[in-house]
């Protein structure tokens, strides 16, 4: 009975940690997406300095959690987000509004798909 | 490559701990749930071992989940007969009172060739000697012979055999197993006396020595 009890507790602990992980990932992705959307907004108003600053903040926020992201996510997925963020930074340097908007949408979509993949939904499970 | 190696070690240790907690049954005859868990564990563990782009947790978390499920299920099986019959099924009688039960053979998709193989594995070549043959839930076949086909026992012959004890290893490759000596109620002084009786006084020369509580001793010295 003791063994089964501890097994049940262990399962609940693991499940709780999984939920905590989903929450943490959500927070991180929301933070990065906020910087991405600010980058696009500033680019629209031709304030490319602030756009660049926010693009750099997005990269910093993502890179700061490098150990965490590499521990809980597929490395290919982590790298694709990193690549899209650097792509955004490069596009900001070009000062081409349309290009910045497109790369911002791409980066945001990559981050969102990563976030959604970890959520407990039927489409993710299946 | 180094990552793959370290992951293999970590996953191996995790699986060893998991299987150890699950118990000996995982290693021997398996119930359906146990077989599923064992097969799944090896499959799940292989992916992060081979693909360094997959996080280690993708192997460890499912293994932990399987471990929990297996312990809970096996505990529930012990307590609930109904749950056990749902999960493990019921034994099937393939031979009943010397007659092959064809409906059970068909139900279990068990051919006569397979039945013959299982009987021969248990040294039964004449099916007429078998009273009952039961296909157990773990896939093994239990055979009950007719009483007149069974080997004679000492009791039936009114013979009192020498007592048999459970032998334990008391010296293993030159090392004295003190705990095992205590199990059979002996000590190191007794050990030295027995070794001297058998022509050696140096424990380091002993490859293997077993003893049982009834005094039966097996001794083998190391090759020189």
């Amino acid at each position: 009975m003791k063994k089964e009890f501890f097994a049940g507790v262990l399962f609940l602990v693991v499940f709780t940690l999984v939920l905590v992980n989903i929450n943490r990932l959500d927070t991180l992705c929301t933070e990065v997406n906020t910087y991405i959307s600010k980058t696009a907004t500033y680019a629209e108003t031709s304030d490319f300095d602030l756009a660049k600053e926010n693009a750099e903040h997005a990269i910093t926020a993502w890179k700061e959690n490098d150990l965490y992201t590499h521990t809980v996510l597929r490395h290919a997925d982590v790298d694709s987000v990193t690549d899209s963020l650097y792509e955004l930074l490069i596009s900001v340097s070009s000062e081409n509004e349309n290009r910045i908007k497109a790369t911002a949408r791409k980066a945001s979509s990559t981050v969102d798909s990563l976030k959604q993949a970890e959520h407990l939904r039927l489409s993710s499970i299946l | 490559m180094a990552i793959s190696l370290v992951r293999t070690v970590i996953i191996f240790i995790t699986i060893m701990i998991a299987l150890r907690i699950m118990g000996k049954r995982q290693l021997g005859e398996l119930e359906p749930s146990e077989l599923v868990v064992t097969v799944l564990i090896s499959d799940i563990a292989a992916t992060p071992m081979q693909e360094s782009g997959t996080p280690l947790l993708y192997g460890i978390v499912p293994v932990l989940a399987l471990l929990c499920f297996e312990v809970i299920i096996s505990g529930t099986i012990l307590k609930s007969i109904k749950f056990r019959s749902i999960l493990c099924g019921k034994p099937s009688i393939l031979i009943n009172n010397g007659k092959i039960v064809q409906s059970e053979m068909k139900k279990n998709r068990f051919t006569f060739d397979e039945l013959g193989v299982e009987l021969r594995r248990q040294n039964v070549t004449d099916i007429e000697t078998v009273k009952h043959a039961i296909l157990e839930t773990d896939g093994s076949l239990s055979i009950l012979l007719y009483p007149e086909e069974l080997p004679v026992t000492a009791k039936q012959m009114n013979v009192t055999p020498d007592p048999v004890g459970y032998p334990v290893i008391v010296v293993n490759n030159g090392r004295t197993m003190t705990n095992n000596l205590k199990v059979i109620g002996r000590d190191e002084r007794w050990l030295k006396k027995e070794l001297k009786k058998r022509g050696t006084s140096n424990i380091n020369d002993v490859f293997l020595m077993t003893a049982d509580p009834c005094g039966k001793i097996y001794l083998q010295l190391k090759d020189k």
Side-chain angles (χ1 to χ4, degrees), chain B residues 72-84:
Chain B
I72 291 168
I73 285 171
S74 55
T76 313
I77 282 171
L78 268 174
K79 287 175 177 56
S80 165
I81 296 168
K82 197 172 181 183
F83 190 72
R84 184 184 164 83

Side-chain angles (χ1 to χ4, degrees), chain B residues 51-196:
Chain B
E51 294 173 22
S52 52
T54 305
L56 199 56
L57 283 176
Y58 278 39
I60 290 174
V61 167
V63 167
L64 285 177
L66 284 174
L67 158 69
C68 295
F69 270 116
E70 171 49 28
V71 171
I72 291 168
I73 285 171
S74 55
T76 313
I77 282 171
L78 268 174
K79 287 175 177 56
S80 165
I81 296 168
K82 197 172 181 183
F83 190 72
R84 184 184 164 83
S85 72
I86 291 169
L87 213 62
C88 303
K90 287 182 183 152
S92 300
I93 301 176
L94 300 184
I95 297 175
N96 194 21
N97 286 319
K99 220 178 152 197
I100 296 174
V101 183
Q102 294 176 45
S103 57
E104 287 295 317
M105 292 279 288
K106 202 175 175 182
K107 193 173 146 191
N108 288 283
R109 296 186 303 281
F110 209 80
T111 64
F112 183 72
D113 288 328
E114 285 166 326
L115 181 61
V117 165
E118 291 301 323
L119 290 174
R120 283 191 298 276
R121 270 209 187 113
Q122 299 190 48
N123 298 318
V124 173
T125 48
D126 184 359
I127 202 167
E128 281 184 348
T129 62
V130 178
K131 188 175 183 195
H132 298 296
I134 300 146
L135 183 63
E136 307 292 358
T137 54
D138 61 5
S140 62
L141 193 72
S142 299
I143 292 166
L144 286 98
L145 301 175
Y146 281 103
E148 54 271 25
E149 303 295 341
L150 291 169
V152 174
T153 64
K155 193 176 178 184
Q156 287 167 334
M157 298 281 290
N158 282 323
V159 167
T160 311
D162 293 333
V164 172
Y166 175 71
V168 296
I169 298 173
V170 291
V171 180
N172 183 0
N173 203 16
R175 274 198 342 253
T176 308
M177 313 298 281
T178 323
N179 284 339
N180 287 350
L181 277 171
K182 284 185 193 154
V183 164
I184 57 169
R186 302 292 186 188
D187 56 18
E188 288 196 38
R189 220 166 40 157
W190 169 88
L191 177 64
K192 283 182 180 139
K193 200 172 83 177
E194 291 300 324
L195 286 175
K196 213 171 175 181

Side-chain angles (χ1 to χ4, degrees), chain A residues 3-4 7 10 71-75, chain B residues 21 52-53 55 58 68 71 75:
Chain A
K3 229 180 181 182
E4 290 84 36
L10 177 62
T71 303
V72 302
L73 299 169
R74 287 200 162 80
H75 298 184
Chain B
I21 292 170
S52 52
Y58 278 39
C68 295
V71 171

